[in-house]
Amino acid sequence: QVQLVESGGGLVQAGGSLRLSCAASGRTSSIYAMGWFRQAPGKERDVVAATRWSGGITHYAGSVVGRFTISRDNAKNTLYLQMNSLKPEDTAVYYCAAKSGSSSPLYAGMEYWGNGTLITVSS
């Protein structure tokens, strides 16, 4: 089992920045990939960004390319999401996720989920 805890959410004005963190614990040696997902009110949960835990492969949703950056610190078992130039449409609950399998695409088949952190972007 892998446990995930997100932090860093909050209220920010449009154009501002936030950094999310996701601390992983438990069987972290089994992690193949991790990602960030978000769910806006009334919408389905969608991938924001994902990365292979060993590096070398990343995926971004088209709506965040050039604004968001996913990164990881393997020594700290922590995943990050740097979010710049935030827009009101980025308002959502953001979830961290992880998987041990190497299924494709990178962001599919996530097995472990955090509880989520709310980001509200005001206009």
Side-chain angles (χ1 to χ4, degrees), residues 17 33 41 81 87-88 95-96 100 113 120:
S17 298
L81 184 68
K87 305 175 181 180
Y95 298 90
C96 174
S100 57
W113 295 86
T120 303

Side-chain angles (χ1 to χ4, degrees), residues 4-10 20-22 36-39 45 92-97 113-119:
L4 304 171
V5 179
E6 305 99 336
S7 61
L20 299 182
S21 299
C22 174
W36 290 99
F37 295 73
R38 67 185 180 187
Q39 186 168 20
R45 186 163 56 188
V93 177
Y94 284 70
Y95 298 90
C96 174
W113 295 86
N115 290 328
T117 185
L118 176 63
I119 292 177

Side-chain angles (χ1 to χ4, degrees), residues 3-122:
Q3 293 79 43
L4 304 171
V5 179
E6 305 99 336
S7 61
L11 174 65
V12 63
Q13 289 188 333
S17 298
L18 280 176
R19 188 176 81 156
L20 299 182
S21 299
C22 174
S25 61
R27 293 190 60 190
T28 57
S29 61
S30 69
I31 295 174
Y32 173 78
M34 293 186 70
W36 290 99
F37 295 73
R38 67 185 180 187
Q39 186 168 20
K43 296 187 176 181
E44 294 185 352
R45 186 163 56 188
D46 289 325
V47 61
V48 176
T51 182
R52 189 171 62 180
W53 195 237
S54 62
I57 303 175
T58 57
H59 168 85
Y60 290 95
S63 59
V64 306
V65 169
R67 300 189 299 125
F68 292 10
T69 302
I70 190 169
S71 63
R72 75 215 187 281
D73 185 330
N74 297 73
K76 296 182 178 180
N77 291 322
T78 301
L79 183 74
Y80 302 99
L81 184 68
Q82 178 66 43
M83 303 179 291
N84 300 327
S85 302
L86 283 160
K87 305 175 181 180
E89 51 264 42
D90 294 318
T91 295
V93 177
Y94 284 70
Y95 298 90
C96 174
K99 68 178 183 180
S100 57
S102 59
S103 58
S104 181
L106 188 65
Y107 53 87
M110 294 293 178
E111 303 165 78
Y112 309 104
W113 295 86
N115 290 328
T117 185
L118 176 63
I119 292 177
T120 303
V121 184
S122 63

